[in-house]
Amino acid sequence: MAPELLLDSNIRLWVVLPIVFITFLVGVIRHYVSILLQSDKKLTLEQVSDSQVLIRSRILRENGKYIPKQSFLMRKFYFNNQEDGFLKNTKRKVVPPSPMTDPSMLTDMMKGNVTNVLPMILIGGWINWTFSGFVTTKVPFPLTLRFKPMLQQGIELLSLDASWVSSASWYFLNVFGLRSMYSLILGQDNGADQSRIMQEQMSGAAMAMPADTNKAFKAEWEALELTDHQWALEGVEEELMSRELDLDGMFSKELPTGIF
Amino acid sequence: SASLSERSEQMRDKLRKWREDNHRNSEQIVDVGEELINEHASKLGDDIWIIYEQVMIAALDCSRDDLAWTCLQELKRQFPGSQRVKRLAGMRLEALEKYEDASKQYDSILQDDPTNTAARKRKISILKAQGKSAEAIRELNEYLEQFVGDQEAWHELSELYINEHDYGKAAFCLEELMMTNPHNHLYCEQYAEVKYTQGGLENLELSRKYFAQALKLNNRNMRALFGLYMSASHIAASPKVNATVKKANVKYATWATNQINRAYQLAGRGTKENKCSVKAVEEMLESITMS
């Protein structure tokens, strides 16, 4: 086991804790800035309408058992009919929102970059410059020597265990680690959540709203084809009459709503 | 003083509760709201704006145009150019029966925002208020083609169809509501009533089933209990049914009568009016067992 280093407790007081605070405050500020810079997403009438149609089809699949069989079949026919079923035959224009054609996407991307990536780089650099030249903390798991140049920027010691890291690495650890704190304090959908934003950026290129509609229609069509009608009211009288009605409290004055 | 601010807190909570439960107790809202606005406005903070909206609509219901006007002015001042406020201005014009002007108001909202459902629905309400049911039905159908998920609209359409005695289409609307709200006993009951009104053996069977479902969802729905009795006894009395079906329906009707009996026993326990009702129910029971 390599000999343990004893760090000056001042480091804890003046480096570790300030970096935590700085990261946290920057995150909170980023959240509020992103709210201010948020552009309104205007949905078209067609999008609203289509999303409601999809919901209706889903409800038909899930709760169709509560309506009579004829009614269910009539609606299923309306959606899935070979000739003019809505889900089968409605095609929406597909316009992939690439940054070139859709100017609002471009500004959104820029805003995203400015609020997230830029501060991270700036503050990371500043912390690296301010708190340089000493070891800040030790990560609790062993690391290979390959990590040394990355995590020990500014410390030119060849024999130092790679687990000892500099302030910059502590900063980046904080950026990702404080995510749950942000959820706690700012609520779920907060603008300070870096890793979520990065994930979105990676998958955002593949995701396109309009194409989704056509695919969504097809998926609903398939799901509805498979759905059969199992009437929930088949034995309702027997179920109801298996016991006396519970008329408890029906005529007490406290009953607020009418029973009719 | 302490009790004064307590009182304003209480009033504020009452208004909030009515708002959340969508109560239409306009007279109460006007009473509480007017006092709150006139005397405790400073304590309300930002709540005051939504209270102005709530009180304004209640004032329109009670023909208190003075109060409605005051609320509207305050809202216009705070939120100039707001579509929500424009809609309230339109509602005031409707209350004054200035339907042309109200319609123009809603058209201007729709010009800015074609997806604004509130304005479209208000226009349909104008048609209804003018008694133009056929047009209202047509417009509402067009609206629902684009906004299939609007449950309030489906319910309104079912009412309009019932008024026009178009029970088949009313049933369709209620089916939509039953699917989106499978645990709501009132929709099942209304559907059953429509089916019962349509008549015919098949519809009576359906109505009986849905009355039973309504009862299953809410044991205390007396109307559904009576409906169950009526539909079952009608089927039993029909010459077209075979003996098995007749026997089953007599059983259902008897069960329903017994439950009605129980309810009346619970209700009255000896008061004179109830003695008559209990007697009527007993006669009902006898008539069923005799046939």
Side-chain angles (χ1 to χ4, degrees), chain A residues 59 63 66-68 233, chain B residues 171 173-184 187-189 191-192 210 213:
Chain A
I59 297 267
N63 292 340
Y66 294 111
I67 62 177
L233 272 70
Chain B
C173 300
L174 286 166
E175 281 162 3
E176 293 293 318
L177 290 167
M178 284 199 294
M179 283 198 291
T180 44
N181 306 276
H183 301 294
N184 186 326
Y187 291 145
C188 289
E189 183 214 296
Y191 184 75
Y210 280 94
Q213 175 74 348

Side-chain angles (χ1 to χ4, degrees), chain A residues 45 49 52 56 63 66-68 71 75 231 233-234 237-239 241 244-246 248 251 255 259, chain B residues 146-149 172 175-176 179 182 191 208-210 216 219-221 252 255 259 262-263 267:
Chain A
L45 185 54
S49 182
Q52 292 197 4
R56 181 168 178 239
N63 292 340
Y66 294 111
I67 62 177
S71 316
R75 287 167 167 83
W231 203 24
L233 272 70
E234 205 58 69
E237 288 96 346
E238 303 306 322
E239 287 164 28
M241 300 180 191
E244 302 282 301
L245 287 182
D246 179 10
D248 235 352
F251 297 104
L255 202 64
I259 44 178
Chain B
Q146 298 195 303
F147 299 100
V148 265
F172 184 93
E175 281 162 3
E176 293 293 318
M179 283 198 291
Y191 184 75
R208 187 198 67 223
K209 285 221 173 271
Y210 280 94
K216 206 172 133 201
N219 271 194
R220 301 182 195 145
N221 189 331
Y252 300 147
W255 182 88
Q259 300 302 318
R262 271 186 68 219

Side-chain angles (χ1 to χ4, degrees), chain A residues 56-103:
Chain A
R56 181 168 178 239
S57 169
R58 181 172 54 92
I59 297 267
L60 180 64
R61 279 189 290 119
E62 289 173 6
N63 292 340
K65 58 187 178 183
Y66 294 111
I67 62 177
K69 184 162 187 161
Q70 262 313 100
S71 316
F72 172 82
L73 291 173
M74 186 165 68
R75 287 167 167 83
K76 183 171 169 179
F77 185 79
Y78 163 77
F79 278 122
N80 280 13
N81 179 27
Q82 282 292 88
E83 282 149 19
D84 54 10
F86 187 87
L87 290 178
K88 192 144 179 69
N89 289 1
T90 310
K91 300 276 180 247
R92 298 285 180 224
K93 268 209 303 212
V94 176
V95 179
S98 86
M100 308 312 145
T101 57
D102 197 353

Side-chain angles (χ1 to χ4, degrees), chain A:
Chain A
M1 239 322 237
E4 291 302 324
L5 285 174
L6 193 60
L7 294 179
D8 194 343
S9 54
N10 277 333
I11 292 184
R12 179 188 64 213
L13 194 57
W14 295 106
V15 178
V16 174
L17 291 178
I19 291 186
V20 176
F21 282 136
I22 293 172
T23 324
F24 185 68
L25 289 174
V26 168
V28 170
I29 293 173
R30 249 200 326 216
H31 166 70
Y32 287 117
V33 168
S34 67
I35 288 183
L36 288 173
L37 291 181
Q38 224 174 39
S39 52
D40 286 320
K41 265 202 223 138
K42 265 235 162 102
L43 289 171
T44 66
L45 185 54
E46 197 178 79
Q47 283 174 319
V48 172
S49 182
D50 285 346
S51 67
Q52 292 197 4
V53 169
L54 285 168
I55 292 176
R56 181 168 178 239
S57 169
R58 181 172 54 92
I59 297 267
L60 180 64
R61 279 189 290 119
E62 289 173 6
N63 292 340
K65 58 187 178 183
Y66 294 111
I67 62 177
K69 184 162 187 161
Q70 262 313 100
S71 316
F72 172 82
L73 291 173
M74 186 165 68
R75 287 167 167 83
K76 183 171 169 179
F77 185 79
Y78 163 77
F79 278 122
N80 280 13
N81 179 27
Q82 282 292 88
E83 282 149 19
D84 54 10
F86 187 87
L87 290 178
K88 192 144 179 69
N89 289 1
T90 310
K91 300 276 180 247
R92 298 285 180 224
K93 268 209 303 212
V94 176
V95 179
S98 86
M100 308 312 145
T101 57
D102 197 353
S104 68
M105 270 281 288
L106 190 60
T107 42
D108 272 339
M109 260 171 49
M110 242 193 48
K111 279 184 209 161
N113 282 335
V114 166
T115 44
N116 294 314
V117 179
L118 205 61
M120 190 161 83
I121 296 175
L122 286 175
I123 305 222
W126 175 76
I127 287 188
N128 198 19
W129 175 79
T130 327
F131 302 107
S132 66
F134 54 85
V135 158
T136 302
T137 183
K138 179 175 194 274
V139 293
F141 43 85
L143 291 173
T144 63
L145 291 172
R146 284 170 182 272
F147 286 100
K148 275 185 68 166
M150 186 167 73
L151 298 175
Q152 287 180 354
Q153 276 217 328
I155 306 164
E156 314 293 337
L157 283 180
L158 288 175
S159 59
L160 186 57
D161 210 324
S163 303
W164 295 98
V165 298
S166 68
S167 343
S169 351
W170 174 242
Y171 169 67
F172 284 114
L173 235 135
N174 269 280
V175 166
F176 293 105
L178 285 173
R179 216 159 39 96
S180 34
M181 284 283 284
Y182 293 142
S183 304
L184 204 60
I185 299 187
L186 299 172
Q188 268 302 70
D189 208 13
N190 64 72
D193 199 341
Q194 281 253 311
S195 61
R196 187 177 64 86
I197 291 163
M198 293 203 280
Q199 274 174 8
E200 269 181 23
Q201 282 182 343
M202 283 183 236
S203 63
M207 237 173 25
M209 272 285 283
D212 252 2
T213 316
N214 280 334
K215 290 209 189 82
F217 279 171
K218 184 141 201 306
E220 266 303 324
W221 181 87
E222 283 170 10
L224 190 52
E225 272 294 295
L226 295 172
T227 315
D228 272 329
H229 185 259
Q230 295 286 356
W231 203 24
L233 272 70
E234 205 58 69
V236 63
E237 288 96 346
E238 303 306 322
E239 287 164 28
L240 175 66
M241 300 180 191
S242 62
R243 61 176 91 113
E244 302 282 301
L245 287 182
D246 179 10
L247 300 171
D248 235 352
M250 185 154 93
F251 297 104
S252 73
K253 294 226 168 25
E254 292 99 47
L255 202 64
T257 51
I259 44 178
F260 297 101

